[in-house]
Amino acid sequence: MTLLSTRGLSKRFAGLHAVENVDFDLPQGQVRALIGPNGAGKTTFVSLLCGRIAPTQGTVIFDGRDISRLPAHKRINLGMAYTFQITSVFANLTVTENVALAARRRLRGMAMVQATEQALAQVGLEGRLDQNAGDLSYGHQRLLEIAMGLVQHPRLLILDEPTQGLADSEIEGFMALIRSLAGHTTILLVEHNMSVVMQAADQITVLNFGQILAQGSPDEIRADRAVQAAYLGTG
């Protein structure tokens, strides 16, 4: 079953085609990586999916429903959660309070407390519950954002550069987390770390100049001459 799809999705900024005529299908339960050179349109594409910006033309379909004009908060209510390249935690609240705020969309009382603790344990922050989020390292703020997404039990989790700022050991923990979620949470992973991409993704979509250059398995993408020339630097 396809959970998320786009048809003819385009976004132009004063004549610049940031995303152009993209047809995209993401099956339920899949881990899909979205890669491409800087300026390829990845962040714009994800912003269109999340509702942060409106398309110039084309449609976004989530679980069979056209959500192209739906605002971001209503997409969250449908089961989409996302983190972005720039962290958006509440610096003056504790780690626990940040996740509890996200959990309040669907839970109250002890259920909220338990879900908050579970999400923080999943990302390895169970030892930092009472620390102010603003005092965390950048990498730990990234993990906190992921916990804020996980606690919502999303049907689709969109992660934009989640391993940026993480130490090697933390990246290993992130990989274990993705493996534990695979199959029952659909994940769209925007990531520059090609080792993470090749290990984590079931399928990879490559964007270049706002258009899909290639799609396929990690092995297929690694061997694709157009991808090598445009992005992987081996062509």
Side-chain angles (χ1 to χ4, degrees):
M1 173 187 164
T2 299
L3 180 63
L4 176 77
S5 62
T6 70
R7 290 294 178 267
L9 193 64
S10 301
K11 182 64 181 181
R12 301 184 191 97
F13 297 101
L16 171 68
H17 291 252
V19 172
E20 187 174 5
N21 199 35
V22 171
D23 293 344
F24 175 83
D25 293 290
L26 180 57
Q28 187 169 313
Q30 188 179 93
V31 178
R32 175 74 62 89
L34 181 67
I35 67 172
N38 288 331
K42 301 184 299 295
T43 296
T44 301
F45 180 64
V46 168
S47 295
L48 290 168
L49 299 181
C50 296
R52 295 185 84 198
I53 58 175
T56 303
Q57 63 188 49
T59 56
V60 180
I61 309 294
F62 184 71
D63 196 21
R65 174 180 176 179
D66 186 342
I67 62 168
S68 308
R69 301 296 167 181
L70 208 63
H73 70 275
K74 291 191 175 179
R75 299 189 196 198
I76 292 171
N77 291 339
L78 292 178
M80 298 175 71
Y82 49 84
T83 70
F84 287 103
Q85 280 180 284
I86 301 171
T87 57
S88 55
V89 300
F90 297 97
N92 293 324
L93 298 181
T94 67
V95 167
T96 298
E97 288 168 339
N98 269 270
V99 179
L101 273 177
R104 284 181 60 188
R105 290 186 180 275
R106 64 182 193 89
L107 297 171
R108 292 290 186 273
M110 283 306 299
M112 182 180 72
V113 172
Q114 291 168 354
T116 296
E117 291 176 350
Q118 180 184 4
L120 286 167
Q122 281 182 284
V123 301
L125 291 179
E126 64 270 29
R128 300 176 181 272
L129 304 183
D130 297 323
Q131 188 170 350
N132 270 15
D135 295 334
L136 295 175
S137 68
Y138 179 79
H140 284 153
Q141 288 186 21
R142 304 293 294 160
L143 293 174
L144 175 56
E145 276 199 314
I146 294 172
M148 292 165 69
L150 288 175
V151 79
Q152 299 172 53
H153 281 217
R155 301 183 63 197
L156 172 63
L157 180 60
I158 301 175
L159 302 173
D160 195 352
E161 302 292 348
T163 67
Q164 186 176 317
L166 299 187
D168 288 346
S169 60
E170 292 167 338
I171 291 176
E172 290 176 12
F174 172 78
M175 293 296 297
L177 172 63
I178 295 299
R179 285 191 290 270
S180 73
L181 295 172
H184 55 86
T185 300
T186 308
I187 297 172
L188 180 60
L189 177 67
V190 185
E191 181 58 66
H192 274 107
N193 186 322
M194 292 308 298
S195 176
V196 170
V197 167
M198 293 300 176
Q199 291 180 64
D202 301 315
Q203 294 282 304
I204 299 171
T205 296
V206 186
L207 279 184
N208 197 32
F209 298 114
Q211 297 178 309
I212 291 180
L213 176 66
Q215 295 191 99
S217 69
D219 286 343
E220 289 169 335
I221 294 302
R222 192 183 282 113
D224 189 296
R225 297 302 294 272
V227 176
Q228 292 171 4
Y231 184 55
L232 299 180
T234 57

